[in-house]
Amino acid sequence: MRRRPPPLAFLRPPGRPEPPRQPRPGRRRDPSSPPAPPCSRKEACRLQRRRFLLGSVPDAPRLRRGLPAGSGRPSPSCSSSWECRLLRHPRRMDQSVPIQEALSAGETCLVVSFGGRPGKDPAGGGRVGRGSLATPALSGPFLDLRLQAVQGLLAGGESRLLGLVESHGKAMICLYSHRRMAITAEDVRLEKVLLLQDGFAVEEVAGENDLHIVGSDVTVQIISSDANLLVQLPFGSQTQTFLTEVRKRCSPAGVAGNEDPKQKGKQPPAMNQMGSTSGASPAAAVPKPNKPKNDITSEMVRSSSVLVSEEMRGLSMQTFGLRDTIIKSQLLQKEDEYTYLQGFKFFVGTYNVNGQSPKETLQPWLSHDAEPPDIYCVGFQELDLSKEAFFFNDTPKEEEWFKAVTESLHPEAKYAKVKLIRLVGILMLFYIRTELAVHVSEVEAETVGTGIMGRMGNKGGVAIRFRFHNTTVCFVNAHLAAHTEEYERRNQDFRDICGRMQFCPPEPGLPPLTIGKHDVVLWLGDLNYRLEEQDVERVKKLVEAHDFATLYQHDQLKKQMEAKAVFEGFLEGEISFQPTYKYNTGSDDWDTSEKCRTPAWCDRILWRGKNISQLSYRSHMALRGSDHKPVSAIFDIGVKVVDKELYRRSFEDIVRSLDKMENASIPSVTLSKREFLFKDVKYMQLQLASFTIHNGPVPCQFEFINKLDEEAYCKPWLMANPNKGFLLPDAEVTVELELFVNKSTATRLNSGEDQLEDILVLHLDRGKDYFLPVSGNYLPSCFGCPLQTLCHMREPIQEMSPEAIRKLVLLPLWSSDNDASWPEKPLDIPKELWMMVDHLYRNACQQEDLFQQPGLRVEFEQIRDCLDTGMMDTLNGSNHSVAEALLLFLESLPEPVICYMLYDKCLEAADSHVLSNQVVSTLPKCHKNVFSYLIAFLRELLQHSVKNHLDVNILGSIFGGLLLRPPPGHTKPDIAEKRKAQQFIQQFLLREEIAL
């Protein structure tokens, strides 16, 4: 451990010639015309918006798509209205950046992106596109919003970006045309501006032919003097935020859906398809178009309280008041008194498509039974295996598979698409029969990546949760770690998805919802569990004999569930079909490739909950488009349905009992523990402690509150779960304290500037405060230490005194190596960094998927302890665990390898190797040494690209975001910045010389 690192000049690959640079094509112009003054796209957009505001609007911008000069109305070729009809709402790349770049200082934008062009009237069945709402961090009036712009496309049509902009005190909606992948202001062009003034209106409507898009989607018509936009938006808080912000800026005459928040009666509140209450739906004030009585419209969905009113969304738990909270809690306790069970059929299907596009109908899989299901949950894995999908989460195959699924649903019923969610290649779709859509509410979707560093989305899960009648349901589609021997990593992926998947609560002030907090959980996906230690030929013979019971005894998932390592509490039906992996694509033949994979049941469906009966569980051999076979399961699930009359009686009984109990006395609680000590806390190793709050005879509302002059109720390394809540008389709750030190808190703990000491204040509404001391000792780590500090440490960090560590951590970044206060010359590079790189250089140059596949957490902890204590000269753990530890080490540096102050210069020099070399030459010596050392190692890896499958794009993307990070306070890097950081690193990977 104390060996001095070798010189930096180790095995460099021969230099590669720089590819010839092509001149950037320019725009043509008439040579006879005078030269135009220089004007950026941003300036052009600003001037054009200014002309709209001043009433001087040239005709040219209106000609973009079917608009005649001098008219705001569409031409005859475009029918009588300008509209966009949207079907899909996938998460796509952030396109708020080019819109914001195109604005002037002080202008802010709330963006919705949608596919659209002039088309037919809704009654005539116009074009169907897709759209979604955006959520970037914005300033000004939108300080509390998080919106992210995404791209929407039409098959064979054009796309538009729709932005809500405030400029010089006026609000407007700006319509932009844009390139397919808009990154900067140069990629967008302002086409039309709609001022939010008299005559402007926002109304929620439904077209005659919208049966297939009801459910939780909202159809909105935006009307102005020269435009008529019809847009379909996804249900959820993002849509409500967008509509709220538009309505705030409309004149009173143009606002649709306003309500009087003071209108309250003494009757029981409306049921929100559950035992809780909500305000009236804002849809009540929206003009309703004439519809046939047998049609299910999005208006009917709204009126069924699928969308919680905006007034309710804005209230905190304290605003609801203690009385309302007690009513909700007691209604939940009495749920069995006013609900009954009704059975519904759920179809759940999973298919790993191996990056292929759909080439065959999916009806043999999705419409196998004679009777149509009530609900579809369809999951895919490996939707797109391209590098662009992996690094930028963008793929055209989402559209292809969505269309294939929609066209293959059971022909004997009509279905509404409720939600679509995707993480790289993991896609899940949720449909419901149109007549049942009114009973769906509280729809939310989230994703968790479990790839390298616990974030990359090549592996992980997506989830959709919702309330159906009075039963909460959660669908989870997961793709876990591959390879037979990696069952422990699959177990870890499962635990990560369960622990990190959190949904927004249905009401403000409540803690986030997790997967386990649902009545019904249906888990599907390519779980990748294999058959242990089985000969390929023996497995095939057992399959031919249909002896699945014998084969199943060797199934890894079965063994791990029996050991309670994963899926505790879940059930799986009997497997009576042959293994679903691995086949030769296009056939039913087993894998004949060089690897000749052993057949296995990789694709599985499990469930957890009450009143669930599995009717079928099978694979579908008729589909041959992938190396997997799709799997399906049909469930009969008993759903709790509310009897309105019994609900009213329960509500009235609760109110009468509350009237007697009110003002009885002051609440008080008993705590099982009041002091907490955490021993030997380590970097990125969670420690837990818990205590119980037992309530007395009076209902009580509790919360951990901020101390004086502090912004949060606890230090950033501590968290209480739950941190607020409500207790009925004699009830109790267990509170878990979680202590976790990560990159954001490790540096101050290493230096001693911060200590593991805090006091939690537990406050009771109308009651007293309880003070709970929390303390512990942190074991310092090389993770979170500056590079210059580690270069001066010749001993392992945990063998040094706190005073010596503090002195080194506070060492100036640009300190001289000839400082007389240091008895020894510093190391060229940190010994910890050298140990990890040296291990990979000796053992992992030919390792497949290096830096793309995560390691085991327990192995990372062993590697961390080895580096911090110096107990061993070699690192224990797989190559993937060491590689991930290296990435986590670089991520934890408080000052990145390329110093923060040089970040902008690096981006500016990204297309010039000479300028990039000049920037690197200005780095502090230890940072420059580390950069050169890492680049030499990465070039060595590229020499083995045939074996390890690495290339300059992969390494540039991974290390570009670690070696070159934006300074604190900088906006989150957009795609353009990420590409420039990647390009900066790629230059050094393709060229050998580095200025030292």
Side-chain angles (χ1 to χ4, degrees):
M1 184 66 185
R2 302 179 187 177
R3 290 176 290 170
R4 186 178 182 86
L8 293 177
F10 80 77
L11 292 178
R12 298 185 178 181
R16 295 184 175 90
E18 182 180 12
R21 296 178 60 190
Q22 299 296 330
R24 183 175 180 180
R27 293 191 178 94
R28 295 183 180 180
R29 66 177 182 86
D30 185 356
S32 62
S33 62
C39 179
S40 67
R41 180 64 55 86
K42 175 176 179 177
E43 180 66 14
C45 290
R46 187 192 66 79
L47 291 173
Q48 198 168 329
R49 283 195 310 277
R50 190 67 175 162
R51 294 189 189 105
F52 275 104
L53 286 171
L54 298 176
S56 173
V57 185
D59 289 331
R62 298 188 168 208
L63 297 172
R64 182 71 172 176
R65 186 75 183 176
L67 292 177
S71 170
R73 298 288 181 184
S75 65
S77 64
C78 304
S79 186
S80 60
S81 67
W82 188 11
E83 65 187 27
C84 306
R85 300 188 57 215
L86 308 179
L87 176 61
R88 303 184 52 209
H89 317 291
R91 294 184 177 185
R92 284 192 170 263
M93 298 189 321
D94 184 358
Q95 298 213 311
S96 64
V97 175
I99 301 293
Q100 195 63 53
E101 283 188 2
L103 301 180
S104 301
E107 297 178 332
T108 52
C109 175
L110 178 66
V111 180
V112 61
S113 171
F114 62 97
R117 61 173 173 179
K120 298 181 180 179
D121 188 76
R127 284 190 171 272
V128 176
R130 64 181 176 181
S132 60
L133 196 60
T135 67
L138 301 175
S139 57
F142 305 105
L143 188 60
D144 295 329
L145 302 180
R146 278 192 60 78
L147 301 169
Q148 183 178 19
V150 293
Q151 181 181 358
L153 294 174
L154 279 175
E158 294 186 2
S159 175
R160 296 292 184 272
L161 296 178
L162 187 65
L164 174 61
V165 176
E166 278 198 338
S167 175
H168 304 89
K170 294 185 178 181
M172 66 192 82
I173 288 182
C174 296
L175 195 71
Y176 293 84
S177 62
H178 64 96
R179 296 176 184 169
R180 178 181 179 272
M181 191 178 296
I183 294 175
T184 68
E186 294 296 319
D187 298 322
V188 299
R189 176 174 178 177
L190 182 65
E191 185 172 275
K192 194 173 187 66
V193 173
L194 310 174
L195 284 175
L196 273 64
Q197 56 188 4
D198 290 342
F200 188 96
V202 179
E203 298 180 355
E204 295 173 34
V205 297
E208 292 287 340
N209 299 319
D210 277 354
L211 276 177
H212 63 299
I213 55 172
V214 298
S216 51
D217 290 351
V218 184
T219 304
V220 178
Q221 190 170 22
I222 303 175
I223 303 170
S224 72
S225 58
D226 61 350
N228 188 339
L229 303 179
L230 189 65
V231 57
Q232 188 88 26
L233 300 177
F235 164 70
S237 57
Q238 295 179 347
T239 292
Q240 287 302 301
T241 300
F242 177 77
L243 295 177
T244 300
E245 295 302 328
V246 171
R247 287 167 175 158
K248 281 181 183 177
R249 290 156 178 81
C250 291
S251 60
V255 179
N258 282 345
E259 300 176 30
D260 184 3
K262 298 180 181 179
Q263 229 176 6
K264 292 185 180 179
K266 295 190 177 182
Q267 56 187 5
M271 284 294 298
N272 190 19
Q273 309 298 338
M274 57 177 180
S276 63
T277 57
S278 70
S281 170
V286 179
K288 297 181 176 66
N290 294 327
K291 294 288 295 177
K293 289 184 179 180
N294 59 341
D295 280 3
I296 305 296
T297 70
S298 55
E299 193 62 43
M300 294 170 65
V301 176
R302 288 268 294 173
S303 66
S304 69
S305 296
V306 169
L307 297 181
V308 182
S309 72
E310 293 162 14
E311 287 79 4
M312 291 289 284
R313 286 186 179 276
L315 294 176
S316 65
M317 185 170 64
Q318 287 79 3
T319 308
F320 283 129
L322 185 60
R323 183 182 178 90
D324 290 339
T325 307
I326 295 173
I327 292 174
K328 293 175 187 178
S329 298
Q330 294 194 355
L331 279 171
L332 190 61
Q333 284 192 336
K334 294 175 176 287
E335 186 179 47
D336 292 342
E337 298 180 8
Y338 57 83
T339 61
Y340 60 92
L341 291 180
Q342 181 177 338
F344 293 90
K345 286 183 64 176
F346 284 60
F347 174 99
V348 181
T350 177
Y351 192 10
N352 183 317
V353 297
N354 192 33
Q356 304 298 310
S357 295
K359 298 182 178 66
E360 54 191 345
T361 178
L362 303 181
Q363 283 192 339
W365 172 38
L366 301 178
S367 304
H368 186 275
D369 295 320
E371 184 181 349
D374 298 306
I375 286 178
Y376 273 100
C377 171
V378 183
F380 295 95
Q381 306 82 41
E382 295 190 358
L383 198 74
D384 193 333
L385 299 177
S386 69
K387 293 295 184 289
E388 183 176 15
F390 179 73
F391 289 115
F392 301 108
N393 196 23
D394 185 47
T395 173
K397 293 186 178 179
E398 178 187 290
E399 175 81 24
E400 298 172 3
W401 283 101
F402 169 76
K403 182 179 179 183
V405 171
T406 304
E407 292 174 349
S408 300
L409 299 179
H410 205 290
E412 298 300 318
K414 294 182 178 179
Y415 292 91
K417 188 220 74 175
V418 180
K419 200 70 176 177
L420 179 152
I421 182 71
R422 181 175 62 84
L423 173 67
V424 186
I426 309 171
L427 171 71
M428 186 158 61
L429 293 157
F430 167 28
Y431 298 84
I432 190 169
R433 292 179 71 150
T434 55
E435 62 268 26
L436 301 175
V438 295
H439 304 298
V440 174
S441 64
E442 300 175 13
V443 183
E444 294 287 345
E446 291 296 339
T447 67
V448 168
T450 61
I452 189 74
M453 299 175 71
R455 291 195 301 269
M456 298 298 256
N458 55 323
K459 293 293 187 291
V462 300
I464 298 173
R465 63 90 50 196
F466 61 98
R467 183 178 292 275
F468 183 43
H469 283 285
N470 220 45
T471 294
T472 56
V473 182
C474 183
F475 297 141
V476 184
N477 177 20
H479 191 190
L480 307 185
H483 307 302
T484 302
E485 68 280 4
E486 298 288 359
Y487 65 89
E488 288 185 358
R489 283 206 306 113
R490 288 188 272 281
N491 297 350
Q492 177 178 292
D493 288 350
F494 167 79
R495 291 190 292 268
D496 281 350
I497 293 171
C498 290
R500 293 166 46 201
M501 190 76 75
Q502 294 189 335
F503 305 94
C504 293
E507 294 177 2
L510 298 178
L513 293 173
T514 59
I515 293 173
K517 294 180 180 178
H518 291 82
D519 300 323
V520 173
V521 180
L522 299 173
W523 195 300
L524 59 138
D526 180 0
L527 306 187
N528 254 323
Y529 287 95
R530 311 298 174 91
L531 296 173
E532 282 189 340
E533 302 174 359
Q534 292 299 297
D535 177 71
V536 176
E537 295 305 319
R538 180 174 182 271
V539 170
K540 292 179 179 178
K541 287 180 180 179
L542 290 172
V543 172
E544 289 175 6
H546 287 78
D547 191 357
F548 301 133
T550 300
L551 204 57
Y552 183 62
Q553 299 307 310
H554 303 279
D555 179 69
Q556 286 181 339
L557 179 56
K558 172 184 178 294
K559 292 186 175 183
Q560 294 302 305
M561 290 178 67
E562 288 175 348
K564 300 188 183 301
V566 288
F567 289 102
E568 190 169 0
F570 281 81
L571 297 172
E572 183 181 21
E574 179 185 355
I575 296 180
S576 58
F577 50 88
Q578 69 183 54
T580 56
Y581 174 84
K582 178 181 185 182
Y583 296 86
N584 290 331
T585 302
S587 74
D588 295 332
D589 300 329
W590 296 114
D591 177 31
T592 57
S593 68
E594 180 183 351
K595 294 182 179 179
C596 193
R597 302 286 193 189
T598 302
W601 287 294
C602 291
D603 310 281
R604 313 288 274 269
I605 299 172
L606 300 92
W607 75 90
R608 190 179 74 180
K610 298 179 180 179
N611 307 311
I612 303 174
S613 174
Q614 189 179 65
L615 305 180
S616 68
Y617 190 24
R618 58 198 167 203
S619 66
H620 299 266
M621 299 294 293
L623 272 67
R624 302 180 176 90
S626 173
D627 56 356
H628 289 247
K629 297 296 182 182
V631 173
S632 72
I634 303 291
F635 296 95
D636 187 323
I637 299 180
V639 172
K640 293 175 286 188
V641 179
V642 174
D643 183 305
K644 294 183 179 179
E645 182 57 34
L646 293 178
Y647 167 72
R648 180 180 293 275
R649 293 178 191 172
S650 297
F651 175 85
E652 291 172 350
D653 290 343
I654 293 170
V655 171
R656 279 194 293 268
S657 65
L658 267 183
D659 290 340
K660 298 176 182 178
M661 189 185 4
E662 269 187 343
N663 301 319
S665 61
I666 297 175
S668 64
V669 298
T670 302
L671 307 183
S672 64
K673 191 176 181 181
R674 296 200 182 192
E675 192 169 347
F676 304 90
L677 176 63
F678 294 88
K679 295 182 179 180
D680 296 338
V681 177
K682 298 180 180 181
Y683 182 78
M684 286 188 68
Q685 188 163 325
L686 179 67
Q687 286 202 26
L688 301 173
S690 63
F691 68 99
T692 301
I693 305 175
H694 187 94
N695 192 26
V698 179
C700 153
Q701 196 163 281
F702 69 88
E703 180 181 6
F704 290 98
I705 61 173
N706 300 359
K707 297 178 285 294
L708 188 64
D709 299 328
E710 293 193 9
E711 296 180 354
Y713 71 86
C714 65
K715 296 284 186 68
W717 38 261
L718 184 64
M719 185 174 71
N721 185 26
N723 64 357
K724 62 175 67 174
F726 171 78
L727 289 172
L728 289 170
D730 296 320
E732 64 179 31
V733 64
T734 298
V735 177
E736 234 178 27
L737 300 183
E738 302 176 2
L739 197 156
F740 188 75
V741 176
N742 58 18
K743 61 181 180 180
S744 63
T745 54
T747 303
R748 289 177 58 83
L749 290 169
N750 279 333
S751 68
E753 293 177 275
D754 192 11
Q755 301 289 332
L756 293 182
E757 294 179 356
D758 200 2
I759 296 177
L760 298 177
V761 182
L762 179 63
H763 172 73
L764 304 185
D765 187 31
R766 300 184 300 117
K768 62 183 290 188
D769 292 341
Y770 297 82
F771 298 89
L772 311 178
V774 178
S775 61
N777 67 295
Y778 179 67
L779 300 180
S781 174
C782 62
F783 290 84
C785 275
L787 285 177
Q788 71 271 20
T789 298
L790 295 173
C791 285
H792 281 84
M793 285 185 181
R794 293 180 173 271
E795 304 296 325
I797 190 170
Q798 290 186 13
E799 291 185 8
M800 301 183 66
S801 66
E803 294 77 15
I805 297 174
R806 176 180 174 81
K807 185 177 180 182
L808 288 174
V809 170
L810 298 179
L811 192 68
L813 176 62
W814 302 90
S815 61
S816 172
D817 292 341
N818 300 319
D819 192 336
S821 62
W822 301 107
E824 291 183 302
K825 182 182 177 181
L827 302 173
D828 291 325
I829 61 174
K831 57 189 179 300
E832 296 84 1
L833 174 67
W834 173 79
M835 281 195 71
M836 289 184 283
V837 173
D838 183 65
H839 177 97
L840 296 173
Y841 172 68
R842 288 186 287 104
N843 301 289
C845 282
Q846 298 186 23
Q847 176 70 58
E848 186 177 350
D849 294 332
L850 192 67
F851 295 120
Q852 298 172 80
Q853 183 171 310
L856 287 173
R857 185 161 300 123
V858 65
E859 291 183 351
F860 165 74
E861 293 171 359
Q862 294 170 357
I863 294 167
R864 177 206 59 210
D865 292 347
C866 177
L867 298 175
D868 291 340
T869 62
M871 296 299 292
M872 292 173 287
D873 286 340
T874 57
L875 300 177
N876 292 328
S878 68
N879 292 335
H880 293 300
S881 294
V882 177
E884 186 169 21
L886 174 61
L887 298 182
L888 290 171
F889 173 84
L890 295 173
E891 184 189 44
S892 72
L893 294 174
E895 185 79 29
V897 176
I898 304 291
C899 301
Y900 285 132
M901 62 181 298
L902 299 177
Y903 176 76
D904 291 330
K905 290 184 178 180
C906 288
L907 298 185
E908 294 169 3
D911 57 354
S912 170
H913 184 66
V914 174
L915 294 178
S916 298
N917 246 322
Q918 291 176 359
V919 176
V920 171
S921 67
T922 63
L923 288 170
K925 186 173 181 180
C926 62
H927 285 249
K928 185 162 49 180
N929 289 346
V930 167
F931 182 79
S932 302
Y933 188 69
L934 290 172
I935 292 296
F937 167 62
L938 298 180
R939 283 204 297 262
E940 178 63 23
L941 291 180
L942 291 174
Q943 295 298 300
H944 304 273
S945 59
V946 175
K947 292 285 187 179
N948 59 32
H949 300 157
L950 292 172
D951 58 38
V952 291
N953 290 324
I954 295 174
L955 293 179
S957 297
I958 293 172
F959 284 86
L962 293 173
L963 306 183
L964 185 60
R965 304 200 308 260
H970 191 281
T971 57
K972 184 179 179 181
D974 56 25
I975 293 176
E977 285 190 21
K978 290 178 181 178
R979 289 190 182 276
K980 284 185 175 293
Q982 176 186 13
Q983 187 179 355
F984 180 85
I985 300 300
Q986 285 175 347
Q987 294 181 93
F988 294 98
L989 297 179
L990 294 171
R991 289 188 168 214
E992 206 171 319
E993 66 275 7
I994 297 180
L996 296 175

